[in-house]
Amino acid sequence: MSGSHRGREAAVVEGVDRADLVLLAIPLLFCVVYAVGSLLTGGYALPVAGASLAAGVLVVDGLFWHPPGEA
């Protein structure tokens, strides 16, 4: 999917790389953190800030800590 041709152990599931899973997890994590934050606080600003920080951690992880291989 992401075009990398690393060893077989690098793929989490056949044809799905870690980078693909990170891209899927970013909006899912944002929605979950926002929903929980909205239920707990009842506001808007704090849940959006928390969800943005949580999704930002995944972005930094996917770009800098575990960058995708070259296609």
Side-chain angles (χ1 to χ4, degrees), residues 27-44 46-52 54:
L28 292 176
L29 181 65
F30 185 93
C31 291
V32 167
V33 172
Y34 177 76
V36 170
S38 293
L39 291 174
L40 294 176
T41 64
Y44 173 75
L46 192 58
V48 168
S52 297

